[in-house]
Amino acid sequence: EPAVAALTQYYRNNIPAGSKILDICSSWVSHCPLEFKDTMKRISGTGMNPLELIENDQLTDYEARNLNVNPTLSYDDDTFDVVTCVVSIDYLIHPIEVLKEVRRVLKPGGKVIISQSNRCFPSKAIAMWLNMDDRQHLELINGYAKYAGFGPGIAYDITASVPAGEPYNDPMFIVEISK
């Protein structure tokens, strides 16, 4: 799928070898490049379903936690170089609290990479999200980050290019925020 490939390539180009990564809202599939398992110091995952997390062979460790019920992270302060959140910020009902925790566990100079598509499960997304366009989604994510104590983020359109004539409509965006 082109959107997943674009995100994987973004990670490959923007997460340095030897990093400690936390993927929040993680599941059974990882969007990290396959080589990350060997080139990163640690890839941790926090997600709702322990059965999915155990199947994610990229993770070096994981914790099952519903961040909508308990928006805290069980990791020490200044632990991770990078925190990722793949197309899931729209499902968090306490995104500012979660991002405050992300800020706490990020090392100084670390970064958050929040990816976002215009696809979602409408029954799971917060109501406000459903009435916004792509640009508004990016502005909302940046606003969440601001209220969580981060400076301004930078938004990127990483939508995959496909051959002419191919039907494709799956945009992918990144908001990258540094601590």
Side-chain angles (χ1 to χ4, degrees), residues 62-101:
Y62 65 86
E63 178 184 34
R65 178 174 299 228
N66 182 340
L67 294 173
N68 285 327
V69 174
N70 182 359
T72 62
L73 298 169
S74 65
Y75 305 100
D76 292 335
D77 295 358
D78 304 327
T79 297
F80 296 98
D81 302 293
V82 177
V83 176
T84 61
C85 181
V86 179
V87 296
S88 295
I89 195 89
D90 50 322
Y91 303 136
L92 294 174
I93 59 175
H94 304 290
I96 295 168
E97 289 81 359
V98 171
L99 287 174
K100 284 180 180 178
E101 280 292 288

Side-chain angles (χ1 to χ4, degrees), residues 92-159:
L92 294 174
I93 59 175
H94 304 290
I96 295 168
E97 289 81 359
V98 171
L99 287 174
K100 284 180 180 178
E101 280 292 288
V102 165
R103 189 173 183 281
R104 181 185 63 77
V105 302
L106 265 178
K107 293 178 181 177
K111 62 184 171 182
V112 186
I113 301 172
I114 300 172
S115 61
Q116 194 54 53
S117 176
N118 64 3
R119 288 192 199 177
C120 71
F121 294 106
S123 62
K124 294 181 181 181
I126 61 168
M128 176 174 55
W129 191 268
L130 300 175
N131 296 314
M132 300 175 118
D133 63 25
D134 293 331
R135 182 184 176 122
Q136 291 168 323
H137 292 154
L138 299 172
E139 290 171 354
L140 180 63
I141 292 167
N142 205 34
Y144 289 160
K146 177 183 176 183
Y147 286 106
F150 287 98
I154 301 172
Y156 300 98
D157 182 345
I158 63 163
T159 302

Side-chain angles (χ1 to χ4, degrees), residues 52-70:
E52 288 184 359
L53 294 169
I54 201 166
E55 291 299 318
N56 187 332
D57 62 0
Q58 290 277 71
L59 300 178
T60 54
D61 60 273
Y62 65 86
E63 178 184 34
R65 178 174 299 228
N66 182 340
L67 294 173
N68 285 327
V69 174
N70 182 359

